[in-house]
Amino acid sequence: ETGVTQTPRHLVMGMTNKKSLKCEQHLGHNAMYWYKQSAKKPLELMFVYSLEERVENNSVPSRFSPECPNSSHLFLHLHTLQPEDSALYLCASSQYFSGELFFGEGSRLTVL
Amino acid sequence: AQRVTQPEKLLSVFKGAPVELKCNYSYSGSPELFWYVQYSRQRLQLLLRHISRESIKGFTADLNKGETSFHLKKPFAQEEDSAMYYCALKNGANNLFFGTGTRLTVIP
């Protein structure tokens, strides 16, 4: 499969659950990103990894924990989330510096 | 800090009419601006970037530093242009920040 793939596409979890979102890119890029898309808000940059090192952590609460084990995979570990964390979480990849991001289809998260 | 503003949430035009989607930005450094588009049931993708100075699908955008704007224009809208359009700014740390988006509907 080519491009950027995100799993699961939909996730419903309680506030005490622990779950993870997964992103995989097959484009040979060296940077990966997590964005949060909520209704009526701009896409919010959460984390940026370049060459598997975190280069940006945009004041995200610690209940979101990213992991980038290699340049093709990116995870977002979720723990004790709040209902306001319900949103579409988008993963993207790029060649760092390029500005051209390739997005996945997103993981729709609902926190009950 | 940087900020991207798209004042119109919704914009409707008739097929064949000109279309302009507005984008204003604030950034203390030298910005790099982009337009991204999301068609129905497709993922978000790059449409064009200001440094390329190219026309993509008939769309152009000029960076106006005096007005801090990067409006997207097309002289004759087509039905297939109906989509969600996002303006984005790349800062000095190479991170991309998006506006809230404008939903364009082209009426047949």
Side-chain angles (χ1 to χ4, degrees), chain B residues 17-75:
Chain B
V19 61
E20 180 178 69
L21 293 102
K22 291 185 167 47
C23 172
N24 289 91
Y25 67 90
S26 64
Y27 181 54
S28 56
S30 184
E32 204 172 326
L33 277 296
F34 302 78
W35 277 98
Y36 276 75
V37 62
Q38 187 167 26
Y39 300 103
S40 179
R41 297 191 186 87
Q42 294 186 30
R43 56 190 72 191
L44 192 57
Q45 59 187 294
L46 177 67
L47 179 63
L48 56 78
R49 63 179 81 194
H50 91 264
I51 57 172
S52 300
R53 294 185 151 275
E54 57 195 346
S55 173
I56 303 291
K57 298 185 179 182
F59 284 98
T60 58
D62 290 317
L63 179 61
N64 185 324
K65 291 187 178 181
E67 295 183 358
T68 60
S69 69
F70 187 56
H71 303 326
L72 184 67
K73 300 176 185 179
K74 185 169 181 177

Side-chain angles (χ1 to χ4, degrees), chain A residues 15-33:
Chain A
M15 289 191 284
T16 58
N17 291 159
K18 286 185 184 181
K19 296 285 184 184
S20 296
L21 304 180
K22 179 183 175 182
C23 178
E24 190 171 354
Q25 61 99 358
H26 303 273
L27 299 168
H29 290 156
N30 57 16
M32 296 188 78
Y33 310 77

Side-chain angles (χ1 to χ4, degrees), chain B residues 9 50 61 97:
Chain B
K9 284 188 168 35
H50 91 264
F97 294 88

Side-chain angles (χ1 to χ4, degrees), chain A residues 3-5 33 35 37 40-43 45 48 55-56 58 90 96-101 103-105, chain B residues 4 9 32 34 36 38 41-46 49 51 86 90-91 93-101:
Chain A
V4 180
T5 305
Y33 310 77
Y35 280 87
Q37 187 172 34
K40 300 178 184 177
K41 282 187 173 183
L43 277 159
L45 180 63
V48 180
V55 296
E56 181 75 24
N58 205 24
L90 289 169
Y96 199 48
F97 301 121
S98 77
E100 181 173 7
L101 270 56
F103 283 88
E105 293 179 290
Chain B
V4 178
K9 284 188 168 35
E32 204 172 326
F34 302 78
Y36 276 75
Q38 187 167 26
R41 297 191 186 87
Q42 294 186 30
R43 56 190 72 191
L44 192 57
Q45 59 187 294
L46 177 67
R49 63 179 81 194
I51 57 172
Y86 294 91
K90 182 157 78 85
N91 67 3
N94 293 302
N95 295 322
L96 206 59
F97 294 88
F98 289 82
T100 48

Side-chain angles (χ1 to χ4, degrees), chain A residues 37-78:
Chain A
Q37 187 172 34
S38 308
K40 300 178 184 177
K41 282 187 173 183
L43 277 159
E44 298 173 58
L45 180 63
M46 300 176 72
F47 300 104
V48 180
Y49 276 83
S50 174
L51 296 171
E52 299 142 47
E53 281 193 33
R54 192 188 311 178
V55 296
E56 181 75 24
N57 178 349
N58 205 24
S59 303
V60 179
S62 59
R63 57 186 184 269
F64 294 92
S65 174
E67 180 190 359
C68 187
N70 55 61
S71 59
S72 299
H73 293 86
L74 183 66
F75 295 89
L76 188 62
H77 303 301
L78 315 169

